[in-house]
Amino acid sequence: MKLEEHPTTLPVPTIRRYPIYLREIREMIDSGAHFVSSAIIAKKLGLDAVLARKDLAMAGVCGRPRRGYPARDLEKAIIKALGWDNVTDAALVGVGALGSALLGYTGFEEQNLSISTAFDCNPAIAGLTIRNVKVHPMEDMQRLIKEHNIRIGILTVPKCAAQKCADMLVKSGVTGLWNFTNIQLAVPNGVVVQNVDLAQSLAVLSHTILSR
Amino acid sequence: MKLEEHPTTLPVPTIRRYPIYLREIREMIDSGAHFVSSAIIAKKLGLDAVLARKDLAMAGVCGRPRRGYPARDLEKAIIKALGWDNVTDAALVGVGALGSALLGYTGFEEQNLSISTAFDCNPAIAGLTIRNVKVHPMEDMQRLIKEHNIRIGILTVPKCAAQKCADMLVKSGVTGLWNFTNIQLAVPNGVVVQNVDLAQSLAVLSHTILSR
DNA sequence: TAGATTGTTAATCGATTAACAATC
DNA sequence: TAGATTGTTAATCGATTAACAATC
């Protein structure tokens, strides 16, 4: 009988809370804490303490009664669970306003994400260096993605180009797509798509304002 | 006994799917459809047909056996449920790279959101007109937000300024904050905060790639 | 009519919360 | 020791899915 090779899949809600815990834990470490308790973290984040405790337990770190969890270990465990323990190289396609903003965003260091390569079909843009990242023509995609062993493709192209660019990225070998367009992408099995859809977020905001 | 004045609160997962249904329905209307069925919509979006049917039912539109739902009515009902039937004016604070990108994003028309005013504390930026929106100094916030009856504040400032700007927006009278910073904002009761946290989205993507 | 579709009611599933024992 | 905290087990809650009746 073969053992499970892959790490266990955690519940999506838990995964979504991990980056928030992570920030909090890091902040506490920075202010000198060696142990952090679920109660304090939960309070700061407005969550139930039991929920936080369960989430943290899933990262595989044991806490100590009266003390809490060892801060560094917890930090490392969460980073590991998210796959943020090594630098992940990503390629961004579509260097428009949003694409440039993402290229210049320094916050991705927190996630060990490095947008090392960018592509644009506009010959006036390809060739430029935007925010320290060189923009390449689409023809070079397959070669560069293989060369740099890039796993994640970031889609910041106009709607109409989205599926075509997704296809190119997949063909070049990326296994994850971070989709900032509003298109429902079709991808082969084994490729993961994560959509960032501002309309969904705004919908919750507007509806909540409305029904208050 | 007093009747409930506010529209019923719908489940958040349903609300988050509404913009996706809306796009699909609009597309079908554009291609001449007068009726749309839950089965077809669900198939296109990769959802269960019963789920789509329940979601659509919550918008309050009755479908007809063998036909489906009247497309226009359904469109209107969803728009209404989201509060997108009238233009909502929003103010954006922090005209950096992300702020500018949002100012220039044409997709908000779909949601009837108009970012009509922007603010920046940098005197080199305040006074400029960026992507057709005039940027004002922070001192003018309270006056302008009241004058234009602005309900939503969009926060695209650096971390360190986030809470202070949120306070100013709330003081000026906005009831909803669309928070693009990674800070956990503290707001008084009655003010709604919706966070757009890329780290959460990336966490799901990285973890899913990892555990595949 | 037959069959596609809606609408409703019940069952399942998973996440959150509650209760409480264990430990330092 | 007393009390704060973790960890576990059970209960609750809500969303999704399944089963099936109603309708055109």
Side-chain angles (χ1 to χ4, degrees):
Chain A
M1 198 202 272
K2 192 141 167 303
L3 284 177
E4 187 59 60
E5 276 177 22
H6 294 299
T8 322
T9 286
L10 302 173
V12 170
T14 299
I15 291 295
R16 293 185 65 88
R17 284 188 291 267
Y18 270 6
I20 313 179
Y21 294 131
L22 190 55
R23 281 189 206 115
E24 202 58 45
I25 293 163
R26 282 174 165 166
E27 198 178 290
M28 290 163 111
I29 289 175
D30 286 346
S31 26
H34 290 105
F35 284 83
V36 299
S37 87
S38 57
I40 291 175
I41 292 179
K43 191 167 190 187
K44 283 224 192 179
L45 301 175
L47 301 173
D48 191 290
V50 184
L51 182 62
R53 202 143 69 240
K54 271 205 136 186
D55 282 341
L56 300 180
M58 282 192 238
V61 175
C62 285
R64 291 208 284 172
R66 289 274 296 164
R67 293 261 204 140
Y69 299 84
R72 287 276 178 204
D73 294 355
L74 197 51
E75 185 198 13
K76 274 186 209 140
I78 290 177
I79 289 173
K80 182 123 191 248
L82 296 175
W84 292 354
D85 44 350
N86 293 299
V87 173
T88 302
D89 276 298
L92 182 143
V93 186
V95 187
L98 177 59
S100 306
L102 292 182
L103 284 182
Y105 181 57
T106 54
F108 292 136
E109 279 168 27
E110 197 187 348
Q111 289 94 44
N112 235 334
L113 183 79
S114 162
I115 311 180
S116 52
T117 318
F119 300 94
D120 203 291
C121 65
N122 184 343
I125 297 178
L128 300 180
T129 294
I130 307 259
R131 297 171 173 274
N132 265 324
V133 178
K134 196 160 175 224
V135 184
H136 299 271
M138 304 296 276
E139 301 85 72
D140 296 354
M141 186 187 287
Q142 189 142 9
R143 181 176 58 82
L144 287 169
I145 284 186
K146 287 202 193 307
E147 267 179 31
H148 292 88
N149 189 30
I150 286 168
R151 308 287 232 71
I152 289 181
I154 305 176
L155 268 183
T156 46
V157 296
K159 264 180 184 236
C160 50
Q163 184 61 59
K164 204 180 142 214
C165 291
D167 293 344
M168 287 183 69
L169 282 163
V170 170
K171 202 179 158 200
S172 306
V174 308
T175 52
L177 290 176
W178 207 9
N179 177 29
F180 285 78
T181 80
N182 291 336
I183 295 298
Q184 195 73 18
L185 294 175
V187 295
N189 249 353
V191 175
V192 181
V193 177
Q194 178 69 24
N195 298 311
V196 177
D197 186 350
L198 290 187
Q200 291 181 32
S201 173
L202 182 61
V204 178
L205 181 62
S206 343
H207 177 265
T208 312
I209 292 176
L210 208 66
S211 61
R212 221 172 7 89
Chain B
M1 195 202 277
K2 193 141 168 303
L3 283 178
E4 187 59 59
E5 275 177 21
H6 293 297
T8 322
T9 286
L10 303 173
V12 170
T14 300
I15 291 293
R16 292 185 65 87
R17 284 188 291 268
Y18 270 6
I20 315 180
Y21 293 132
L22 189 54
R23 282 189 205 115
E24 201 58 47
I25 293 163
R26 280 173 165 165
E27 197 178 290
M28 291 163 111
I29 289 175
D30 286 346
S31 27
H34 291 104
F35 284 82
V36 298
S37 88
S38 58
I40 291 174
I41 291 178
K43 189 164 190 188
K44 283 223 191 181
L45 301 176
L47 302 173
D48 191 291
V50 183
L51 182 63
R53 202 143 70 238
K54 272 206 135 186
D55 282 340
L56 300 180
M58 283 192 239
V61 175
C62 286
R64 292 207 284 175
R66 288 275 295 165
R67 291 262 203 140
Y69 299 84
R72 287 278 179 202
D73 293 355
L74 196 52
E75 185 198 14
K76 274 187 208 140
I78 290 177
I79 289 173
K80 184 123 191 248
L82 295 175
W84 291 355
D85 44 351
N86 293 299
V87 173
T88 302
D89 276 297
L92 182 142
V93 186
V95 187
L98 179 59
S100 307
L102 292 182
L103 285 182
Y105 180 57
T106 54
F108 292 136
E109 280 170 25
E110 197 188 348
Q111 289 96 45
N112 234 336
L113 182 79
S114 162
I115 311 180
S116 52
T117 317
F119 299 95
D120 202 291
C121 66
N122 184 343
I125 297 178
L128 300 180
T129 294
I130 307 258
R131 298 173 173 273
N132 263 324
V133 178
K134 199 162 171 222
V135 184
H136 300 271
M138 304 296 277
E139 301 85 72
D140 296 354
M141 187 187 287
Q142 191 145 7
R143 181 176 58 81
L144 286 169
I145 283 185
K146 286 200 194 310
E147 268 179 31
H148 291 91
N149 189 30
I150 287 169
R151 309 289 234 69
I152 289 180
I154 305 176
L155 267 183
T156 47
V157 298
K159 264 181 183 231
C160 50
Q163 183 62 59
K164 204 181 142 214
C165 292
D167 292 344
M168 288 183 68
L169 282 164
V170 169
K171 202 178 158 201
S172 305
V174 307
T175 53
L177 289 176
W178 206 8
N179 177 28
F180 285 78
T181 80
N182 293 336
I183 296 296
Q184 195 74 16
L185 294 175
V187 295
N189 248 353
V191 174
V192 182
V193 177
Q194 177 69 24
N195 298 311
V196 176
D197 185 348
L198 289 188
Q200 291 181 32
S201 173
L202 183 60
V204 178
L205 181 62
S206 342
H207 178 266
T208 313
I209 291 177
L210 208 65
S211 62
R212 221 170 7 90

